[in-house]
Amino acid sequence: MSYQFQWSVLWSGQSGSWLLQGVLTTLGISALAWILAAALGTLSGALRTVPWRPLRAAAVVYVEFFRNVPLLVWMFFWYFGVPPLLPRPVQDWLFNHGAEFWAGMFALGVYHGARMSEVIRSGIQSIPRTQFEASVAMGLTTFQAYRLVIVPIALRLIVPPATNESLNLLKNSSVALTISVAELTFQTRQIETYTAKAIEALTAGTLIYLVLCVSIAAVMAWVERRFRIPGLIARGG
Amino acid sequence: MKRLLSTLVALTLLAAAVPVFAETTLEKIGRTGTLTIGTRRGSPPFGFVNKSNEWVGFSIDLVEQAIKPVIERKLGKSIKVEKKESTPATRIPLLTSNAVDLIAETMTDTRPRRESVDFSLTFFVTGAQFLVKKGSPIHGIQDIAGKRIAAQQGSTNARIIRERVPGAQLREFPDQPAAFQALAQGQVDAYTNDGIQLAGLKAKAPNSAEWEIVGDFYSYEPYGMAMRKNDSDFRQVVNVGLMEAIESGKYAELYEKWFGPKGEVPYPLTPENKRFLQMQVAPK
């Protein structure tokens, strides 16, 4: 009665090319979403600390609205909610050109941007206030002080929690299968459909996620070492 | 790191090698007094949540009214049926992990699946068709090249389309409601699934008349109940339950309840299918 393992299903037939396609889609959607999340996160994280209330309020609204609604809902929102607002020919064009990929990308990017924003805010707020005051005293405008001093230091400080967020983003990209994006988890299920070998397919998917995540963590650790400011930030492990 | 890895590998091998609790399904049911089935919440009329929020359906009735009595007779004690949600992606793992004992929903019996699980007799026969908006240019599988077609993830239909019409743009959704939403909003041009499922969906849709089921069956979908492999005593009671129901008219009664003119999804039993069901019944 015990389960019969048959690992060859992972390399026989089309499984290999499906897994490869899945990995490429996962990496593609995650990379684009990460860029969006990093941009939105840095912007709104910085805005939450600026000495001007309306900007702070706008950033708060963005963060609280987007991080407190489940990602699954955002997937449906971008896929089912947004297209009907566009003219019919534009919709048709989008649906023929991978609308689900872009909807998934926006859902992931905007959701994780809100989470990234808090990471960046905590980085900025951990920099002593005097640093900002010293920059302004040197003759920099507020914008210049942020661009040249505060944000560059904050970005270095937040590498470990940002790594965490990035890994979450990669893994959360699997939620996009609910709107028919053929990413890695989708493809492992596909293998299961064709071979009825669920445990082998899931194991392959798990190992691939593990390898991707460990690689990203390694890259981020390198970034942390490469860009640290000697004397300013305690040495990393 | 290396040691950690080898420990992990060793553990995995160990887990694979040790036969997990050599208990047959009947022994398990006898011990726990419960038959746990995997079924659907969103596949009317096989398994679905009705208007009064009860989890009911044709497949569930077959288990409760045809199979459960035979198990009780065999075990000499009364048992209860517990329902868990299963989907195409989870049903085989649910079985092999012992989380459920029997899959009673809308699972097509296929040869690759028989490598992993055992199937009961066929208790329902259907085939794949398309659901489209009335007046759509799609009239069957011959018209779908270049069109956006929704299918259910893990279903046999998606697989057939991929093989037979590689030009179709397949969009696979994990569940029926999402696929139907995509069809309703124009994300896709048609939704393909087993004809009976589409009939169920159409019957439940708010504007039923707007939708049309088109095309000849482009696949053969015999539904069976799935159970763990190599447990022929359990399989025997499940099959006897189904055979007795077909013989005694219980099956016809349940069919009438769900698929009759007043049923959830009107879908007359063709003489051909009726004959096929009867011919599966082994003599007493």
Side-chain angles (χ1 to χ4, degrees):
Chain A
M1 269 212 358
S2 67
Y3 187 85
Q4 304 275 320
F5 282 89
Q6 197 188 325
W7 294 100
S8 62
V9 299
L10 296 178
W11 45 86
S12 55
Q14 294 168 281
S15 302
S17 71
W18 285 339
L19 283 176
L20 184 67
Q21 277 170 27
V23 171
L24 291 179
T25 308
T26 290
L27 285 177
I29 200 168
S30 303
L32 290 171
W34 189 88
I35 293 171
L36 182 64
L40 285 173
T42 310
L43 181 68
S44 74
L47 287 184
R48 285 199 67 171
T49 65
V50 294
W52 197 46
R53 191 188 286 269
L55 282 180
R56 284 208 303 273
V60 169
V61 168
Y62 163 67
V63 168
E64 296 303 341
F65 188 54
F66 281 89
R67 76 169 173 178
N68 290 326
V69 173
L71 178 58
L72 182 63
V73 175
W74 286 125
M75 289 281 169
F76 288 147
F77 170 78
W78 289 98
Y79 187 61
F80 290 122
V82 174
L85 306 175
L86 304 168
R88 189 71 227 186
V90 179
Q91 280 184 48
D92 265 330
W93 188 87
L94 276 174
F95 294 149
N96 273 324
H97 293 80
E100 62 281 350
F101 179 89
W102 296 106
M105 196 281 288
F106 274 108
L108 262 184
V110 176
Y111 174 80
H112 277 278
R115 297 172 52 103
M116 203 74 101
S117 165
E118 288 298 276
V119 171
I120 287 167
R121 179 165 74 94
S122 64
I124 291 175
Q125 288 180 339
S126 71
I127 299 169
R129 185 90 198 133
T130 47
Q131 189 97 20
F132 175 73
E133 287 163 359
S135 318
V136 175
M138 300 265 297
L140 299 182
T141 63
T142 300
F143 178 72
Q144 283 172 329
Y146 265 87
R147 187 170 68 84
L148 300 170
V149 180
I150 303 296
V151 170
I153 297 176
L155 287 179
R156 286 168 166 84
L157 284 172
I158 52 102
V159 171
T163 307
N164 225 351
E165 262 325 297
S166 311
L167 299 182
N168 273 341
L169 187 153
L170 181 93
K171 287 178 285 181
N172 279 346
S173 67
S174 63
V175 179
L177 72 80
T178 53
I179 53 168
S180 82
V181 177
E183 46 67 66
L184 182 53
T185 308
F186 177 96
Q187 300 291 7
T188 61
R189 290 188 176 188
Q190 173 107 314
I191 294 174
E192 198 253 310
T193 307
Y194 276 62
T195 62
K197 289 289 173 193
I199 298 181
E200 288 84 339
L202 280 172
T203 308
T206 308
L207 287 177
I208 294 174
Y209 276 111
L210 194 67
V211 168
L212 291 179
C213 288
V214 170
S215 316
I216 291 173
V219 170
M220 294 296 268
W222 175 82
V223 168
E224 190 180 355
R225 277 195 310 278
R226 171 74 181 73
F227 290 101
R228 73 160 173 250
I229 305 172
L232 182 63
I233 296 163
R235 78 197 148 74
Chain B
M1 187 65 200
K2 206 166 189 179
R3 185 181 294 167
L4 181 72
L5 209 66
S6 46
T7 316
L8 268 178
V9 169
L11 276 177
T12 316
L13 288 177
L14 203 68
V18 178
V20 201
F21 221 102
E23 185 184 43
T24 69
T25 305
L26 279 175
E27 281 165 5
K28 184 184 166 215
I29 296 169
R31 181 170 55 81
T32 58
T34 311
L35 166 66
T36 313
I37 64 168
T39 187
R40 304 297 291 265
R41 279 200 167 88
S43 284
F46 293 92
F48 67 106
V49 176
N50 69 10
K51 287 194 184 89
S52 33
N53 210 22
E54 295 156 327
W55 197 354
V56 293
F58 180 64
S59 303
I60 296 172
D61 274 358
L62 280 178
V63 172
E64 286 183 336
Q65 298 182 33
I67 294 167
K68 183 178 157 225
V70 180
I71 298 179
E72 285 175 334
R73 202 166 70 211
K74 178 99 182 163
L75 294 173
K77 65 185 263 192
S78 68
I79 58 166
K80 61 179 185 354
V81 174
E82 198 179 293
K83 298 182 283 272
K84 282 190 182 171
E85 168 82 359
S86 62
T87 65
T90 62
R91 53 201 176 189
I92 291 179
L94 279 173
L95 267 184
T96 51
S97 67
N98 284 326
V100 306
D101 305 316
L102 184 69
I103 293 292
E105 32 144 298
T106 57
M107 185 170 184
T108 304
D109 184 352
T110 66
R111 273 173 270 175
R113 284 177 184 164
R114 284 190 189 194
E115 308 242 331
S116 297
V117 294
D118 279 346
F119 280 93
S120 70
L121 304 180
T122 296
F123 68 88
F124 196 90
V125 178
T126 182
Q129 290 174 291
F130 296 92
L131 184 68
V132 294
K133 231 180 208 137
K134 239 185 196 132
S136 153
I138 297 173
H139 302 291
I141 195 167
Q142 67 280 0
D143 306 319
I144 62 165
K147 294 286 199 296
R148 302 183 301 266
I149 308 296
Q152 201 168 348
Q153 274 168 26
S155 66
T156 36
N157 317 319
R159 173 178 183 169
I160 295 166
I161 296 224
R162 193 174 288 113
E163 281 160 9
R164 299 231 323 242
V165 193
Q169 301 185 54
L170 206 53
R171 304 275 189 269
E172 293 178 65
F173 294 87
D175 53 28
Q176 194 127 254
F180 185 65
Q181 182 68 29
L183 176 65
Q185 282 190 208
Q187 262 91 344
V188 295
D189 304 309
Y191 170 43
T192 187
N193 205 332
D194 303 345
I196 182 61
Q197 304 248 23
L198 298 179
L201 196 59
K202 180 175 185 286
K204 230 177 63 170
N207 308 315
S208 199
E210 265 182 42
W211 305 101
E212 200 172 15
I213 297 168
V214 296
D216 295 329
F217 287 166
Y218 67 84
S219 70
Y220 166 55
E221 310 279 343
Y223 289 174
M225 297 193 186
M227 52 215 115
R228 276 179 290 279
K229 226 172 145 64
N230 301 329
D231 191 350
S232 59
D233 288 343
F234 181 57
R235 187 168 171 216
Q236 166 71 358
V237 293
V238 170
N239 280 343
V240 167
L242 290 172
M243 286 181 202
E244 284 182 1
I246 293 170
E247 214 168 39
S248 69
K250 186 86 207 166
Y251 180 95
E253 181 195 311
L254 293 176
Y255 195 97
E256 188 66 18
K257 172 180 168 193
W258 295 106
F259 302 102
K262 289 199 193 77
E264 191 75 20
V265 182
Y267 201 77
L269 185 62
T270 61
E272 230 182 335
N273 285 354
K274 191 173 177 187
R275 191 83 197 103
F276 168 71
L277 286 167
Q278 285 166 343
M279 285 176 80
Q280 291 189 102
V281 178
K284 274 187 178 151

